[in-house]
Amino acid sequence: MELLFLGTSSGTPTKTRNVSALAIRSEGARHWYLVDCGEGTQHRILHTRLSLTGLRAVFITHMHGDHCYGLPGLLASAGMLNRTEPLLIMGPGALQRFIAGVMETTQLRLPYALEFVEVEDLAPLSRLPDLAVQPVALSHRLPSYAYSFTEKSVENRLDVARLEREGVARGPHWGLLQQGGEVTLADGRVLRGADYLLPARRPRKLVVGGDNDTPALLRDAVRDADVLVHEATYTEDMLARVGPGPQHSSAARVARFAAEAGIAGLVLTHFSPRYQGQERGERNGGLSVADIADEARRFYPGRLFLANDLDRFILDREGHLATDPPGP
Amino acid sequence: MELLFLGTSSGTPTKTRNVSALAIRSEGARHWYLVDCGEGTQHRILHTRLSLTGLRAVFITHMHGDHCYGLPGLLASAGMLNRTEPLLIMGPGALQRFIAGVMETTQLRLPYALEFVEVEDLAPLSRLPDLAVQPVALSHRLPSYAYSFTEKSVENRLDVARLEREGVARGPHWGLLQQGGEVTLADGRVLRGADYLLPARRPRKLVVGGDNDTPALLRDAVRDADVLVHEATYTEDMLARVGPGPQHSSAARVARFAAEAGIAGLVLTHFSPRYQGQERGERNGGLSVADIADEARRFYPGRLFLANDLDRFILDREGHLATDPPGP
């Protein structure tokens, strides 16, 4: 599974970070998925290999503008590219009214259908060919949701050691057995695939949170997850200064939760524009995303990343998360 | 007067051009004006010295998304900057419904008032301190308008030659006379300002068109204008290929109109994303904005510019348009 961050800023864009959007794709797939679509998401997509005709579904975590104001323009541009495939859009019920209102007042007509699925009833979404999706309710100023994405099928793993031990020569028979079929060898032996398959690996699972001040609401969802993507809008210090009104998480709170839950990989995003510098104390009175990273590292011993725009991550079949290309 | 192009692409953004937006400012003024606000306009503004707290009014030419989808995000960001000054928004009546719908469905609350003025009745807007605004109806797939901006007051010009001839020494008296006041000299002479002022220069006038397939609709508006900013979405060849459906202008049509009308300065913008290259034949099957420039130059002998994103122009007191910094 591939994650490509299209926007990592909270509230407003900065010169280096756009507002929220994250692309998810099964490896090698033409189709891809978008979680949130802040203004300017289509602009970021121009700098990737993603195409608006390959977008299969959009998931909106909540209705704040920095998570959805890019959707009308993205839909319009997909229309100008003569997209015809229907587009699935899952999000709060207000999202459909938002889009309908924009389309009516700006006379936007699309050459493809939009299929809205309301997230409020928290029903699993099983119609995607490669991923099962499950929403989770979070805690924010307005209804906000996380989405978990779980691989629908894992490849069969052939017990190569047993085949070699039993003298079954490598060849087309192996392929048939891996697919679970039955084969008859030249010497008359009949083999059943089920007997030559290793226990299946665990399907990969990724949880992407919307804005949320209570990471523990994701406890059940992350139990069998490899990676959590979560907002860490500021450090604990700044959260105390800002007060609880905005209902965001600090790096410490997310990191402590991820550590307790035993999640192997954590990607923080959605940083307040206060944190302008990449290096500690670089600018803006010393506030830097590195401060958020430092705070998270104090509490979380796993694989931690702080997303930048256009950062690409690979979650491999062993559930190991790494940057792509691999970082230093 | 200063013009700063924030977006010069038609329909969809490209890697180098954003969708439509143009900033206008009286020289040295803190306040400025925005004509159209395509998605990502606030992102472009981050790369200028303009501030969302200094924005006095927004003028929307028509309701197509590439001219207005950036407005909700820009309003939200101005709110996060704690703007309190009311913002004037002039445009089609549907604009107010568009914004109201977005604000309701995304729970956007602003710490400043929005004052909508509908453009449909074509009434002059006289409440701005520095510029008089007059809308003009154009011809497009949906109602589209141009806005003319005329300086409200021109500085008094003192008849220095006469003062010197009459032996009035340079000093505070000159300033009083320039302001139209009356002064009594040491030798008892009484001078009235009105007698020592040269005829006032013509106020500068700028006309900014929205999407439009009939430039001649601007004939009256440009009669006393120094500069016309108009779309030239493609060349005449491409217009013939695309057909009249989109109701855009070719470079040739705008250029011929501007030449016949005797406009001193013409800035073309809103180029189809088909024209990707800056140089002739650079990319994309040879289509380049230079082709649009070449076609316009064949018909228009005046000062011609093809706008790029973040291009800045100065219209000086003599009505002379130049790039800033001045081009080669």
Side-chain angles (χ1 to χ4, degrees), chain B residues 183-206:
Chain B
V183 301
T184 307
L185 301 183
D187 61 12
R189 278 187 290 169
V190 177
L191 310 183
R192 296 180 331 122
D195 298 331
Y196 293 86
L197 294 179
L198 294 170
R201 68 170 172 83
R202 208 167 45 75
R204 282 167 281 187
K205 182 176 180 182
L206 163 71

Side-chain angles (χ1 to χ4, degrees), chain A residues 41-77:
Chain A
T41 295
Q42 64 163 324
H43 299 66
R44 276 286 189 254
I45 289 171
L46 290 176
H47 296 273
T48 72
R49 292 182 179 185
L50 300 169
S51 109
L52 294 184
T53 51
L55 178 61
R56 181 179 277 133
V58 179
F59 300 88
I60 299 294
T61 61
H62 64 297
M63 291 304 297
H64 278 152
D66 57 324
H67 294 256
C68 68
Y69 283 175
L71 193 50
L74 182 141
L75 299 180
S77 289

Side-chain angles (χ1 to χ4, degrees), chain A residues 1-9 17 20-25 33-36 59 61-62 67 134 136 138 144-149 205-219 221-233 249-251 253-255 257-258 261 263-271 300 303-309 311-315 321-322:
Chain A
M1 284 165 92
E2 180 188 330
L3 288 76
L4 177 52
F5 283 83
L6 298 168
T8 59
S9 180
R17 295 180 186 274
S20 291
L22 168 64
I24 297 172
R25 187 165 65 157
Y33 306 102
L34 181 62
V35 182
D36 283 336
F59 300 88
T61 61
H62 64 297
H67 294 256
Q134 176 64 57
V136 183
L138 302 174
S144 180
Y145 299 87
Y147 293 95
S148 76
F149 299 88
K205 182 176 180 182
L206 163 71
V207 178
V208 182
D211 290 7
N212 177 34
D213 67 3
T214 310
L217 290 169
L218 289 166
R219 198 172 305 279
V222 301
R223 211 176 297 279
D224 51 353
D226 303 290
V227 173
L228 171 64
V229 176
H230 201 283
E231 63 127 314
T233 306
S249 284
S250 69
R253 289 176 193 196
V254 181
F257 164 72
I263 309 165
L266 175 63
V267 187
L268 301 179
T269 182
H270 194 269
F271 309 119
Y300 177 72
R303 290 188 65 76
L304 173 73
F305 298 94
L306 274 79
N308 299 302
D309 283 31
D311 272 359
R312 200 164 155 262
F313 297 90
I314 302 292
L315 178 61
L321 184 71

